[in-house]
Amino acid sequence: MLGRRSISRPDEIACDPACAPLDATVADLVRVAGCRRKIEECFRSAENECGLDHSEVHRCVGWYRRVTLVLLAHAYLAVMAAQEHLRRRARSRTWQRRCSWMTWSVPSSRQAAT
C-alpha cells in the first residue's frame, strides 16, 4: 500500500494499492501513482466533455467501440485546445513586438515619494 497525504488536509491519508518488483524504489511507486492520477483526470474530463458516461451498452464490443470513439474525440479536442492556446500566445507576442515602441514606465511608490 502506498499512502499519501494532502498538504491542505494533513489529517486525511489516502491509500493506493501498489504492486511492483522487489527492486522498485518508493520514488518509482510515487511516479507511477502520479501518472495514474493524470489518467483518472483524463477519464473524468472525457466523461464531462464528450459524454463517456452517457451510454447504455449491452455487449463488450459495443462498450469498447464507444470508449474508443469517445477517447479519440477527447484527444482531438485536447489537441485543438492546445493549438488554440499556442496561437493566442503567438498573437500576443506579435502584438507585443509591434507595440514595443510604446513602452513607458510607471514610477513606483518609492520614486513618486521622492
Side-chain angles (χ1 to χ4, degrees):
M1 294 298 278
L2 181 67
R4 62 181 168 83
R5 185 173 26 191
S6 173
I7 295 173
S8 61
R9 293 184 233 145
D11 55 331
E12 293 181 16
I13 297 176
C15 295
D16 293 323
C19 181
L22 292 175
D23 61 341
T25 63
V26 175
D28 293 335
L29 290 173
V30 170
R31 183 179 48 79
V32 170
C35 291
R36 182 175 155 240
R37 297 275 176 247
K38 290 177 187 175
I39 292 169
E40 287 178 359
E41 288 175 10
C42 180
F43 271 99
R44 265 189 246 119
S45 176
E47 284 178 357
N48 293 334
E49 295 173 6
C50 300
L52 181 60
D53 58 345
H54 297 295
S55 65
E56 185 176 321
V57 180
H58 299 286
R59 292 186 166 176
C60 288
V61 174
W63 183 81
Y64 282 120
R65 287 178 183 162
R66 169 83 176 160
V67 168
T68 302
L69 289 174
V70 167
L71 292 180
L72 182 63
H74 186 258
Y76 175 77
L77 291 174
V79 168
M80 296 304 290
Q83 287 177 349
E84 181 62 26
H85 177 73
L86 290 175
R87 277 191 215 113
R88 287 184 182 183
R89 278 182 65 189
R91 278 189 229 135
S92 173
R93 287 182 183 160
T94 303
W95 182 82
Q96 288 173 355
R97 275 185 262 141
R98 287 181 186 164
C99 299
S100 63
W101 59 273
M102 294 189 332
T103 58
W104 62 85
S105 62
V106 177
S108 65
S109 59
R110 289 182 192 166
Q111 292 174 345
T114 57

